[in-house]
Amino acid sequence: MAYTEEELKKELETKEYEYGFYTAIESDTFPKGLNEGIVRAISKKKNEPQWMTDWRLEAFRIWEKMEEPDWANVHYEKPDFQAISYYSAPKKDPNRSLDDVDPELLAMYKKLGISVDEQKKLQNVAVDIVVDSVSVATTFKKTLGEKGIIFMPISEAIQEHPELVKKYMGTVVPKTDNFYAALNSAVFTDGSFCYIPKGVRCPMELSTYFRINEGGTGQFERTLVIADESSYVSYLEGCTAPSRDENQLHAAVVELIALDNAEIKYSTVQNWYPGNKEGKGGVYNFVTKRGLCENNSKISWTQVETGSAVTWKYPSCILKGNNSVGEFYSIAVTNNFQQADTGTKMIHLGKNTKSTIISKGISAGKSQNSYRGLVQIGSRAENARNFSQCDSLLMGNECGAHTFPYIEVKNKTAQIEHEATTSKIGEDQIFYCNQRGINTEKAIALIVNGFSKEVLNKLPMEFAVEAQKLLEISLEGSVG
Amino acid sequence: MLKISDLHARVDDKEILKGINLEVKAGEVHAIMGPNGSGKSTLAAVIAGKEEFEVTKGSVSLDGENLEDSAPEERAHKGIFLSFQYPVEIPGVSVTNFMKTAINESRKARGLEDMPANKMLKLIREKSELLEIDRKFLSRSLNEGFSGGEKKRNEIFQMAMLEPKLAILDETDSGLDIDALRIVANGVNKLKSKDNAVIVITHYQRLLEYIVPDFVHVIHDGKIVKSGGKELALELEEKGYDWLKQETVV
């Protein structure tokens, strides 16, 4: 017979996080706690030049004076920053070539569904994989190298391309930007670096896979993508973590720079461990992502957020150049006790700048899902345009959807549109599908996919399929 | 094919069906008429297995199999189709995608592979021509922004696609203008065969001029109070329902 709310709840409770395994890899982990000594030790471990060590120390001193923000619509126990280890790396020197990689690590990739070799052959995707704090494998380096494209762990970029890192790092997200960005600037251990030279269209998707493995560690990765004039790149990012009772901290910084006439597409499928059905454990995902657009350039953020216990994330665009374009397409799913406060900031500074925001929030269980967005039109931004659409879909009677749009306009030629809807998956919709032979689970998947279609369509093909599956898994049986 | 015996059903604490008996054989068209609130739509929903209604007594069986424990989707897989009085909207899901899912789910239940894409396309083309549906219409979101007539035509299109054994048309004529009514009725007539059956639920005799019933039943207060041939519909049109209500009281 069709589902009652009780039965559905029961079924939902039995759903488990698929990626919750832990791999026993020997790792090199720092003692817990944070002080100048730890910051220096991280820098030393990475064999960094003095300027980098100084940069980190400055960030640490700024962070020490900052307060953790509490304006977001999320409630959680504040992490104890002295109870986290700030460096953890798989022990066997992993970096060189894939053949040298610890077999345990390779086995882990298989579990994650990333067969590195296969990806090489079948899908035109170059992958960089970051486990805990260290980048362990970057594929396709040679093919990319022929085009002058640099795609490597940021720790290597600091050694090999210090001029680029020095010039751009911290220019979009300064050390002083916010509490977590400052923390990241002090202790980041790895992440990806990408540079596309002038006029080059990157021939494949670039992809980074992040994984937290060790317990009691935080992951602080730093990603820097620079698209030089008239270049194009599409970048993908995926994340998972083992199931643990404690809350793990993830505080990343992503900076994108699109120079004149360049275009960057940045897609994320975030599936950090969301905690168990009682709301225990799960990743705190406090991330700062921002892009800077020069003249006639375009940055497009697409995100599918299904994981994490608490999400605090606002991928933003600074539309500095004239005629630049910013886009934000987001699906955020929360279930059980998950909380998400996510959205974007579109800062219009240049003339004829345009931005589009499409946000789809899906809440189930006892979760809380908030959209928070800022559209700001500067006084010199003649003819700026923005279109925002925020849709919320509710399942059951115990979850919440919230929308916090902020609009600040200092130029009267601006055109701003904001649309918002809230709907609930109804028993009538489910029965209609049932009557056509579609069972309840499939019906929910169909309705959710329909609701999310505008955003799913923006993802690169191979990611769209994965994202669609993820949505189905995250929400199976969650209608009331 | 369909056998309903002494069926009682209620929603919350209100008894709506109070002992319905009805038998529908393959190849037959039955019309169910009756005033507002008499239980016509409830009967349709109970046959389709809607959970909201609790069957307190009696049974519904299809081809000799009691449907008591069958979920709505299982009843659909067995060949029961309900054309809804108020079809729901599903934003972002195209008519084509919805039909593809429905057909393949039914095939899966019967242990068959998904229908190959070219066959599906051919079927869609055939059936949309039958119902004079513009194919642009099929890529629109299901029922979203459809006019009343479009929604009903879409219901019959789905019926044509799914080729049910038993089709129940719940007030399919309401909200249709005369041209749409003719198209819908033509569609139903073309789909009729000696192997399937149709139950037409309606207020008015108008639809029955196009879909000619073999039997007409009148429901009042949760019971069938009169059954007859197609001429009964005409009599009702002329006299209204009041004389039947009085007859029941007597």
Side-chain angles (χ1 to χ4, degrees), chain A residues 1-4 427-429 431-440 442 446-447 449-451 453, chain B residues 50-51 68-70 72-73 76-77 80-82 84 88-89 91-93 98 102 105 143 155 158:
Chain A
M1 302 303 268
Y3 293 77
T4 65
E427 276 168 25
D428 284 349
Q429 277 176 318
F431 178 64
Y432 189 86
C433 294
N434 288 162
Q435 210 301 306
R436 298 299 185 253
I438 301 166
N439 67 30
T440 301
K442 191 90 189 175
L446 196 68
I447 294 166
N449 276 323
F451 176 76
K453 198 170 74 179
Chain B
K50 193 168 189 184
E51 286 288 296
E68 195 179 343
D69 294 325
S70 301
E73 65 270 23
H77 299 156
I80 293 178
F81 179 91
L82 173 61
F84 283 70
V88 300
E89 298 180 0
V93 178
F98 185 70
E105 285 295 299
N143 291 322
E155 292 292 290
Q158 293 184 35

Side-chain angles (χ1 to χ4, degrees), chain A residues 407-468:
Chain A
I407 298 172
E408 293 172 20
V409 180
K410 292 188 181 128
N411 185 308
K412 58 186 174 195
T413 60
Q415 276 185 53
I416 312 253
E417 290 171 71
H418 183 94
E419 289 178 9
T421 65
T422 303
S423 54
K424 194 179 159 189
I425 293 192
E427 276 168 25
D428 284 349
Q429 277 176 318
I430 302 281
F431 178 64
Y432 189 86
C433 294
N434 288 162
Q435 210 301 306
R436 298 299 185 253
I438 301 166
N439 67 30
T440 301
E441 272 192 15
K442 191 90 189 175
I444 292 170
L446 196 68
I447 294 166
V448 166
N449 276 323
F451 176 76
S452 317
K453 198 170 74 179
E454 283 166 279
V455 176
L456 288 173
N457 283 348
K458 298 288 172 187
L459 287 170
M461 257 312 262
E462 58 273 22
F463 243 35
V465 177
E466 189 185 339
Q468 205 164 330

Side-chain angles (χ1 to χ4, degrees), chain B residues 103-155:
Chain B
I103 285 177
N104 285 334
E105 285 295 299
S106 286
R107 288 175 68 94
K108 200 162 82 188
R110 277 178 278 147
L112 298 171
E113 298 274 297
D114 281 2
M115 186 182 278
N118 56 351
K119 240 183 119 184
M120 182 78 74
L121 285 173
K122 194 169 156 254
L123 189 66
I124 289 174
R125 197 177 319 130
E126 253 175 57
K127 304 296 184 183
S128 56
E129 275 165 19
L130 178 73
L131 287 152
E132 300 176 38
I133 285 175
D134 184 347
R135 255 178 300 146
K136 268 185 244 149
F137 176 87
L138 301 174
S139 53
R140 283 169 60 186
S141 287
L142 188 69
N143 291 322
E144 200 184 28
F146 285 19
S147 70
E150 283 173 330
K151 282 185 183 171
K152 295 301 172 70
R153 206 186 296 187
N154 180 35
E155 292 292 290

Side-chain angles (χ1 to χ4, degrees), chain A residues 112-249:
Chain A
L112 289 170
I114 324 168
S115 158
V116 182
D117 284 336
E118 226 170 274
Q119 290 236 4
K120 248 191 207 173
K121 285 182 212 130
L122 297 176
Q123 300 177 348
N124 213 18
V125 180
V127 197
D128 184 18
I129 300 164
V130 178
V131 175
D132 290 339
S133 306
V134 167
S135 178
V136 287
T138 307
T139 60
F140 261 127
K141 224 177 211 175
K142 207 173 142 215
T143 329
L144 294 169
E146 284 160 10
K147 294 231 169 205
I149 294 166
I150 306 166
F151 179 47
M152 56 170 58
I154 199 152
S155 54
E156 280 178 36
I158 290 167
Q159 309 290 341
E160 292 176 30
H161 303 281
E163 70 299 339
L164 284 172
V165 177
K166 235 175 169 170
K167 185 171 173 192
Y168 291 107
M169 193 161 69
T171 57
V172 189
V173 180
K175 292 180 280 247
T176 50
D177 192 78
N178 68 69
F179 184 83
Y180 301 109
L183 177 64
N184 175 288
S185 302
V187 303
F188 76 89
T189 35
D190 223 327
S192 294
F193 174 85
C194 169
Y195 172 80
I196 315 291
K198 270 184 202 169
V200 170
R201 199 180 159 84
C202 185
M204 61 188 70
E205 311 278 349
L206 299 184
S207 169
T208 304
Y209 216 99
F210 294 108
R211 168 121 184 125
I212 299 176
N213 193 45
E214 278 303 299
T217 60
Q219 181 149 323
F220 307 92
E221 81 267 357
R222 184 128 197 149
T223 301
L224 179 58
V225 179
I226 303 151
D228 210 329
E229 290 170 23
S230 306
S231 68
Y232 167 85
V233 64
S234 169
Y235 195 97
L236 319 172
E237 167 191 82
C239 335
T240 60
S243 311
R244 289 184 188 286
D245 281 349
E246 61 191 301
N247 293 103
Q248 285 175 294
L249 178 63

